Amino acid sequence: MRIAAGVVKQLLKRDPKTVARCLTLIENGDPRAKSILKELYPRTGRAHIVGVTGAPGTGKSTLISRMIAELRRRQKRVGVLTVDPTGPFSGGALLGDRIRMREHFLDQGVFIRSLATRGCKGGVASSIRDAACLLDAVGNEIVVIETIGVGQDQVEVKNLAHTIVVLVIPGMGDEIQGMKAGLLEIADILVVNKADLPGAEETWEQLRGLFGETAVPILKTSALENVGVGELVDTLEEHYGKLQTGSDRRDGGLEFSRSQVLSLLRDRLLDRLVQRIGAGSIEAWVEKVAERRLDAHTAAEKILKSAGF
Amino acid sequence: MAKKPRILIAKIGLDGHDRGVKIVARALRDAGIEVIYLGIHNTPQEIVSSAIQEDVDGVGLSVHSAAHMTLFKEVTRLLKKGKATGIAVFGGGIIPREDSRALKKLGVRALFAPGAPLEEIVEFVKRLPLGRRQKAKGSARGGSASG
Ligand SMILES: Nc1nc2c(ncn2[C@@H]2O[C@H](COP(=O)(O)OP(=O)(O)OP(=O)(O)O)[C@@H](O)[C@H]2O)c(=O)[nH]1
Ligand SMILES: [Mg+2]
């Protein structure tokens, strides 16, 4: 499908309506999105993509708003994607992150978009990646992605961003113990937010006890009182700087591209499989597994076999 | 992934009670709609700029202030200026009948009185046409890029 030069031209002028419209095409899985991304691809790879993750209510959106202000002072244009879960039964979503970023609504150098997961995990990762690509291509020097950081989502965000910031708050003590493995795997920077609250020092010490030996920086911020934000942005830039130099760059780039290609391959292969044998026949195997008549491994094997693999 | 209705819900003007708008926002979510919730004390500029970036199908505004005429007028003017008239504007609040008529002329699609049944609002939103919100400038060959 050919996309008229007009759309690309408007995109590169950062026309907010056109950018917003293309993000919708991406969200809806519209084939036109692919053509647009293909056209823009040579212009991508310039933005620093930052993931901000942490349990609900840890202050992600409020801190991002403070980060935006600091980044704007440093003359950076900022794109923000906030991701919230779609309700499993209703299919609806209440997207309430934008409200915390009000001070940037009228700033032409900031583009904020709320996304719902729409109930399909694999799919949403590739939509977020494409959305970030678009915001990158239209000239944002930094793209920040907010996701809830509990459960399996964490692993996903790892491959979407160059730098992952994980937020914890005072009083999370035991939870932090439990999160250790997950955190170690994904965090490039750890932040104790709400450092204005009692117990921040203890939480920070606890993290140091767990991560002191690693190179992961551990910071304290108060998004409420706007403390520690400059240092956080410095640390982000440092981390990205390291990725840009030496072998890290090549490895990082390879890893990023590999995960992108593999995740797309997974999605496409699954699509083809469904096309070939029908969603209904997969569902029939699923039911057998649910009724404990068959284990999931065998079911997967049988499904592949029936599709001729 | 299918298209989903996206709606921005906000309170505009100075008064600060958010119970009513929150109830509407939740009812819409429960009806399968993606709701961008913008809370209280919004200005028309903030509403319109957010509606455009979020590419919503509609904007629902709660106004409980005597300034409703000016505020709605400003929102519709800014949407027009932003060439985003495909975004439907609807509202709630205590609005005298003659003002109500004037607002409809301005392009406000529906006005719900306080205590209007939630189902009515949900039904209205569900019937809004999807994806006609804003045209991307310049169209894709063989079909417009506006979807
Ligand atoms: N005391 C204190 N409160 C904060 C701080 N940062 C955020 N908050 C408050 O914490 C609450 C949640 O903040 P959000 O920014 O919405 O948190 P979030 O992590 O984005 O929440 P979800 O998106 O719902 O997961 C709000 O009431 C904020 O005002 C902080 O540094 N100190
Ligand atoms: Mg948030």
Side-chain angles (χ1 to χ4, degrees), chain A:
Chain A
M1 199 173 312
R2 295 245 0 199
I3 298 296
V7 172
V8 172
K9 211 169 118 206
Q10 287 302 320
L11 279 173
L12 297 180
K13 283 200 329 217
R14 299 170 58 81
D15 173 54
K17 240 176 14 164
T18 312
V19 174
R21 194 61 221 159
C22 288
L23 287 171
T24 302
L25 294 179
I26 289 172
E27 261 197 303
N28 291 345
D30 190 297
R32 277 167 295 183
K34 285 201 191 99
S35 324
I36 293 169
L37 287 164
K38 192 170 162 189
E39 200 86 8
L40 292 178
Y41 196 71
R43 297 176 188 272
T44 63
R46 295 181 220 185
H48 178 193
I49 302 178
V50 176
V52 175
T53 184
T58 45
K60 300 177 291 293
S61 307
T62 314
L63 187 61
I64 289 171
S65 188
R66 299 293 195 186
M67 285 161 57
I68 300 172
E70 178 62 28
L71 288 160
R72 295 297 291 143
R73 272 192 285 280
R74 300 183 189 195
Q75 319 291 331
K76 302 268 170 71
R77 282 171 298 191
V78 190
V80 180
L81 298 168
T82 68
V83 186
D84 280 306
T86 293
F89 302 112
S90 68
L94 199 53
L95 308 170
D97 299 310
R98 169 178 274 271
I99 189 176
R100 310 263 181 223
M101 307 179 191
R102 181 182 309 278
E103 64 173 298
H104 310 293
F105 287 174
L106 301 183
D107 183 346
Q108 303 278 320
V110 180
F111 191 101
I112 303 165
R113 178 65 173 246
S114 319
L115 304 171
T117 55
R118 299 197 179 175
C120 39
K121 272 242 186 103
V124 80
S126 86
S127 294
I128 298 169
R129 194 192 309 267
D130 287 347
C133 253
L134 186 84
L135 292 178
D136 171 359
V138 303
N140 293 294
E141 280 91 8
I142 183 159
V143 176
V144 184
I145 305 173
E146 172 181 340
T147 59
I148 32 160
V150 272
Q152 292 121 337
D153 292 0
Q154 278 187 333
V155 188
E156 274 191 313
V157 76
K158 172 77 194 160
N159 296 320
L160 294 176
H162 300 110
T163 309
I164 307 268
V165 180
V166 179
L167 264 58
V168 296
I169 52 175
M172 277 177 70
D174 290 349
E175 281 167 73
I176 292 175
Q177 271 304 343
M179 284 159 71
K180 188 186 172 198
L183 284 180
L184 252 179
E185 214 172 295
I186 72 161
D188 297 304
I189 300 170
L190 283 165
V191 171
V192 181
N193 187 40
K194 307 203 183 182
D196 52 287
L197 296 180
E201 197 55 41
E202 286 89 324
T203 305
W204 187 84
E205 289 293 344
Q206 186 189 4
L207 287 173
R208 259 197 32 139
L210 292 169
F211 296 93
E213 249 113 85
T214 68
V216 179
I218 307 167
L219 308 178
K220 274 186 280 184
T221 60
S222 167
L224 193 70
E225 294 173 355
N226 202 10
V227 174
V229 178
E231 198 190 344
L232 172 58
V233 172
D234 288 344
T235 313
L236 283 175
E237 288 178 350
E238 236 165 71
H239 182 260
Y240 188 55
K242 271 191 210 143
L243 288 183
Q244 296 292 312
T245 51
S247 62
D248 274 0
R249 182 191 166 88
R250 212 186 118 67
D251 292 350
L254 267 180
E255 200 181 314
F256 203 68
S257 305
R258 180 179 303 120
S259 93
Q260 185 174 1
V261 172
L262 289 182
S263 99
L264 282 174
L265 260 179
R266 260 192 297 272
D267 290 354
R268 300 273 160 85
L269 278 174
L270 190 60
D271 282 351
R272 297 252 172 107
L273 186 80
V274 170
Q275 268 171 25
R276 208 183 278 183
I277 63 172
S281 97
I282 295 182
E283 199 49 36
W285 288 105
V286 169
E287 278 168 26
K288 286 196 186 107
V289 174
E291 291 161 7
R292 311 241 150 229
R293 289 199 275 143
L294 200 68
D295 67 290
H297 289 282
T298 314
E301 278 304 322
K302 298 246 181 198
I303 290 168
L304 283 176
K305 206 171 247 171
S306 74
F309 282 97

